[in-house]
Amino acid sequence: MSRLLITGFGPFPTVPDNPSGRLARRLAGSPHLRLILGQAPDCLVLDTRYGALDTQLAPALAKRPLAVLMIGVAARRPRICVETHAVNRLSRLFPDADGRVSRTLAFDPGGPAQRLSPAASQVRIALRRAGLDAAASRDAGRYLCNASYYRVLEQGCPAVFLHIPMPSRTPRPKAGGGRCRPALDLWAEAFAEAARVLVLRSRMSAGRQAHSR
Ligand code: PCA
Protein backbone atom coordinates (compact mmCIF):
# COMPACT_ATOMS: atom_id res chain seq x y z
CA MET A 1 0.00 0.00 0.00
CA SER A 2 1.43 3.40 -0.88
CA ARG A 3 1.89 5.84 1.96
CA LEU A 4 2.42 9.48 2.74
CA LEU A 5 6.12 10.36 2.59
CA ILE A 6 7.46 12.98 4.99
CA THR A 7 10.89 14.45 4.23
CA GLY A 8 13.30 16.66 6.14
CA PHE A 9 16.97 17.53 5.78
CA GLY A 10 20.22 16.94 7.65
CA PRO A 11 22.90 19.54 8.40
CA PHE A 12 24.55 21.79 5.81
CA PRO A 13 27.35 24.37 6.03
CA THR A 14 25.34 27.30 7.47
CA VAL A 15 22.99 25.12 9.59
CA PRO A 16 24.98 22.47 11.49
CA ASP A 17 21.90 21.33 13.43
CA ASN A 18 18.94 21.23 11.05
CA PRO A 19 15.58 21.27 12.86
CA SER A 20 13.72 20.09 9.74
CA GLY A 21 15.04 16.54 10.08
CA ARG A 22 14.00 16.39 13.73
CA LEU A 23 10.57 17.77 12.90
CA ALA A 24 10.07 15.29 10.05
CA ARG A 25 10.91 12.38 12.39
CA ARG A 26 8.69 13.69 15.14
CA LEU A 27 5.75 14.20 12.80
CA ALA A 28 6.19 10.79 11.18
CA GLY A 29 6.27 9.11 14.60
CA SER A 30 3.22 10.93 15.92
CA PRO A 31 0.41 8.61 17.07
CA HIS A 32 -2.03 11.46 16.30
CA LEU A 33 -0.97 11.50 12.65
CA ARG A 34 -1.18 7.73 12.42
CA LEU A 35 -4.71 7.94 13.76
CA ILE A 36 -5.89 10.60 11.32
CA LEU A 37 -4.28 8.90 8.31
CA GLY A 38 -5.22 5.38 9.29
CA GLN A 39 -1.64 4.29 8.56
CA ALA A 40 1.93 5.24 9.53
CA PRO A 41 3.73 7.51 7.06
CA ASP A 42 7.22 6.92 5.66
CA CYS A 43 9.97 9.31 6.70
CA LEU A 44 13.15 10.29 4.89
CA VAL A 45 15.75 12.68 6.25
CA LEU A 46 17.81 13.61 3.23
CA ASP A 47 21.47 14.45 3.35
CA THR A 48 21.80 18.04 2.18
CA ARG A 49 23.87 16.98 -0.84
CA TYR A 50 23.02 17.24 -4.51
CA GLY A 51 23.94 13.57 -4.88
CA ALA A 52 21.21 12.60 -2.38
CA LEU A 53 18.51 13.56 -4.87
CA ASP A 54 19.49 10.52 -6.93
CA THR A 55 20.66 8.16 -4.20
CA GLN A 56 18.02 8.86 -1.49
CA LEU A 57 15.06 10.80 -2.91
CA ALA A 58 14.66 8.98 -6.24
CA PRO A 59 14.34 5.48 -4.65
CA ALA A 60 11.71 6.82 -2.22
CA LEU A 61 9.75 8.35 -5.13
CA ALA A 62 10.02 5.10 -7.07
CA LYS A 63 7.76 3.58 -4.41
CA ARG A 64 5.07 5.99 -5.65
CA PRO A 65 4.04 7.66 -2.38
CA LEU A 66 0.43 8.69 -1.90
CA ALA A 67 1.52 12.28 -1.20
CA VAL A 68 4.70 14.05 -0.07
CA LEU A 69 5.04 16.53 2.79
CA MET A 70 8.46 18.17 2.63
CA ILE A 71 10.13 20.21 5.37
CA GLY A 72 13.30 22.32 5.25
CA VAL A 73 14.71 25.19 7.26
CA ALA A 74 14.96 28.76 5.95
CA ALA A 75 17.06 30.17 8.79
CA ARG A 76 16.52 33.84 8.01
CA ARG A 77 12.77 33.78 7.57
CA PRO A 78 10.60 34.87 10.49
CA ARG A 79 7.65 32.53 9.85
CA ILE A 80 6.53 29.28 8.26
CA CYS A 81 6.37 29.50 4.48
CA VAL A 82 4.22 27.31 2.27
CA GLU A 83 6.10 27.13 -1.01
CA THR A 84 3.75 27.47 -3.96
CA HIS A 85 6.21 26.25 -6.57
CA ALA A 86 9.74 25.14 -7.39
CA VAL A 87 11.89 26.61 -10.14
CA ASN A 88 14.32 25.00 -12.54
CA ARG A 89 17.25 27.03 -11.18
CA LEU A 90 20.18 26.37 -8.89
CA SER A 91 22.61 28.73 -7.26
CA ARG A 92 26.28 28.05 -7.91
CA LEU A 93 27.26 29.96 -4.78
CA PHE A 94 26.18 27.70 -1.93
CA PRO A 95 28.11 24.49 -1.30
CA ASP A 96 26.20 21.42 -0.13
CA ALA A 97 27.18 19.26 2.85
CA ASP A 98 29.92 17.66 0.71
CA GLY A 99 31.34 21.09 -0.17
CA ARG A 100 30.08 20.78 -3.76
CA VAL A 101 28.26 23.48 -5.69
CA SER A 102 25.98 22.83 -8.63
CA ARG A 103 27.81 22.75 -11.95
CA THR A 104 24.79 24.01 -13.88
CA LEU A 105 22.31 26.84 -13.41
CA ALA A 106 19.35 24.77 -14.63
CA PHE A 107 18.44 21.85 -12.40
CA ASP A 108 16.98 19.88 -15.29
CA PRO A 109 18.12 21.35 -18.63
CA GLY A 110 15.14 19.79 -20.47
CA GLY A 111 12.53 20.54 -17.79
CA PRO A 112 9.91 23.30 -17.45
CA ALA A 113 10.93 26.64 -15.88
CA GLN A 114 8.77 25.95 -12.84
CA ARG A 115 6.44 23.41 -11.30
CA LEU A 116 3.44 24.45 -9.22
CA SER A 117 1.90 22.76 -6.22
CA PRO A 118 -1.91 22.81 -6.60
CA ALA A 119 -2.22 21.73 -2.94
CA ALA A 120 -0.28 24.70 -1.50
CA SER A 121 -3.15 27.09 -0.81
CA GLN A 122 -5.32 24.42 0.84
CA VAL A 123 -2.36 23.45 3.04
CA ARG A 124 -1.74 27.10 4.00
CA ILE A 125 -5.39 27.47 5.03
CA ALA A 126 -5.20 24.25 7.09
CA LEU A 127 -2.04 25.46 8.86
CA ARG A 128 -3.62 28.82 9.67
CA ARG A 129 -6.73 27.08 10.96
CA ALA A 130 -4.42 25.01 13.18
CA GLY A 131 -3.09 28.27 14.66
CA LEU A 132 0.15 28.83 12.74
CA ASP A 133 1.16 32.12 11.17
CA ALA A 134 1.86 30.45 7.81
CA ALA A 135 2.43 32.53 4.67
CA ALA A 136 2.50 31.64 1.00
CA SER A 137 5.95 31.95 -0.59
CA ARG A 138 6.90 32.02 -4.25
CA ASP A 139 10.58 31.54 -3.51
CA ALA A 140 11.79 28.12 -2.35
CA GLY A 141 15.37 29.30 -2.94
CA ARG A 142 17.93 27.94 -5.42
CA TYR A 143 19.43 25.25 -3.20
CA LEU A 144 18.54 21.72 -2.11
CA CYS A 145 14.99 22.46 -0.90
CA ASN A 146 13.98 23.96 -4.22
CA ALA A 147 15.73 21.18 -6.17
CA SER A 148 14.10 18.38 -4.17
CA TYR A 149 10.67 20.07 -4.48
CA TYR A 150 11.12 20.42 -8.25
CA ARG A 151 11.92 16.71 -8.41
CA VAL A 152 8.95 15.70 -6.24
CA LEU A 153 6.43 17.89 -8.10
CA GLU A 154 7.32 16.05 -11.30
CA GLN A 155 5.80 12.97 -9.69
CA GLY A 156 2.28 14.43 -9.92
CA CYS A 157 1.03 13.29 -6.50
CA PRO A 158 -0.13 15.96 -3.98
CA ALA A 159 3.00 17.52 -2.51
CA VAL A 160 3.94 20.63 -0.61
CA PHE A 161 7.14 22.12 0.76
CA LEU A 162 7.09 23.85 4.14
CA HIS A 163 10.03 26.06 5.07
CA ILE A 164 10.37 26.53 8.83
CA PRO A 165 12.32 29.29 10.57
CA MET A 166 14.97 28.45 13.18
CA PRO A 167 12.88 27.46 16.24
CA SER A 168 14.94 29.83 18.42
CA ARG A 169 13.85 32.82 16.29
CA THR A 170 10.14 32.29 16.72
CA PRO A 171 8.44 34.65 19.17
CA ARG A 172 7.46 33.21 22.54
CA PRO A 173 4.07 34.03 24.03
CA LYS A 174 4.11 37.14 26.21
CA ALA A 175 3.97 36.78 30.00
CA GLY A 176 0.50 35.56 30.87
CA GLY A 177 -0.10 34.75 27.21
CA GLY A 178 -0.54 31.04 27.74
CA ARG A 179 1.67 28.01 28.23
CA CYS A 180 4.96 28.23 26.38
CA ARG A 181 5.43 25.10 24.27
CA PRO A 182 8.49 24.30 22.17
CA ALA A 183 8.02 25.45 18.57
CA LEU A 184 8.73 21.96 17.20
CA ASP A 185 5.83 20.51 19.24
CA LEU A 186 3.42 23.14 17.94
CA TRP A 187 4.59 22.70 14.37
CA ALA A 188 4.39 18.90 14.49
CA GLU A 189 0.80 19.16 15.68
CA ALA A 190 -0.22 21.66 12.97
CA PHE A 191 1.71 19.86 10.21
CA ALA A 192 -0.43 16.79 10.86
CA GLU A 193 -3.28 18.88 9.41
CA ALA A 194 -1.18 19.62 6.32
CA ALA A 195 -0.58 15.88 5.98
CA ARG A 196 -4.29 15.22 6.27
CA VAL A 197 -5.04 17.69 3.45
CA LEU A 198 -2.48 16.06 1.15
CA VAL A 199 -3.71 12.53 1.78
CA LEU A 200 -7.34 13.56 1.32
CA ARG A 201 -6.49 15.18 -2.03
CA SER A 202 -4.72 12.02 -3.08
CA ARG A 203 -7.61 9.77 -2.10
CA MET A 204 -10.11 12.06 -3.82
CA SER A 205 -8.19 12.06 -7.07
CA ALA A 206 -7.81 8.26 -6.91
CA GLY A 207 -11.58 8.06 -6.37
CA ARG A 208 -12.29 10.32 -9.37
CA GLN A 209 -10.00 8.21 -11.58
CA ALA A 210 -11.70 4.98 -10.51
CA HIS A 211 -15.11 6.57 -11.18
CA SER A 212 -14.20 7.70 -14.71
CA ARG A 213 -12.94 4.24 -15.73
N1 PCA B 1 17.21 24.12 3.92
C1 PCA B 1 17.99 24.31 2.72
C2 PCA B 1 18.42 22.93 2.31
C3 PCA B 1 18.12 22.05 3.46
C4 PCA B 1 17.30 22.85 4.37
O1 PCA B 1 16.76 22.46 5.42
C5 PCA B 1 17.22 25.07 1.63
O2 PCA B 1 16.38 25.92 1.96
O3 PCA B 1 17.44 24.80 0.44
Side-chain angles (χ1 to χ4, degrees):
M1 186 170 42
S2 71
R3 293 166 185 273
L4 169 74
L5 172 65
I6 298 174
T7 65
F9 280 95
F12 57 101
T14 52
V15 179
D17 179 19
N18 192 335
S20 73
R22 276 185 277 134
L23 181 56
R25 285 202 185 94
R26 181 172 316 190
L27 178 61
S30 137
H32 172 64
L33 182 63
R34 194 188 184 123
L35 200 72
I36 61 181
L37 300 184
Q39 59 173 200
D42 287 326
C43 181
L44 175 66
V45 177
L46 290 159
D47 294 337
T48 311
R49 299 184 289 109
Y50 287 104
L53 299 176
D54 289 331
T55 59
Q56 298 177 332
L57 184 60
L61 295 179
K63 291 196 211 157
R64 308 217 66 85
L66 206 59
V68 189
L69 175 55
M70 310 179 74
I71 309 170
V73 69
R76 274 178 288 172
R77 296 203 191 163
R79 65 218 291 231
I80 290 185
C81 291
V82 181
E83 302 297 346
T84 57
H85 63 277
V87 293
N88 193 0
R89 273 277 169 271
L90 291 175
S91 166
R92 299 179 62 196
L93 297 178
F94 304 111
D96 68 8
D98 278 344
R100 298 214 167 93
V101 291
S102 167
R103 266 174 288 159
T104 55
L105 279 176
F107 174 58
D108 173 1
Q114 57 176 12
R115 291 195 173 121
L116 302 178
S117 164
S121 80
Q122 209 186 341
V123 165
R124 183 180 51 80
I125 292 166
L127 290 178
R128 293 188 72 88
R129 219 184 290 129
L132 292 190
D133 176 26
S137 158
R138 294 175 47 79
D139 183 9
R142 304 286 183 274
Y143 190 47
L144 264 303
C145 289
N146 173 68
S148 58
Y149 197 23
Y150 187 85
R151 181 67 74 81
V152 166
L153 287 172
E154 183 181 15
Q155 190 91 349
C157 66
V160 82
F161 199 103
L162 303 176
H163 258 131
I164 56 171
M166 283 310 266
S168 51
R169 279 183 52 117
T170 53
R172 310 189 135 245
K174 296 190 193 78
R179 204 153 60 90
C180 188
R181 295 179 60 208
L184 247 51
D185 286 358
L186 295 172
W187 297 344
E189 229 168 78
F191 284 17
E193 290 306 309
R196 190 220 300 259
V197 163
L198 292 176
V199 168
L200 252 172
R201 286 182 74 99
S202 171
R203 289 184 180 149
M204 278 168 64
S205 93
R208 272 196 302 272
Q209 277 163 22
H211 194 70
S212 65
R213 262 185 228 127

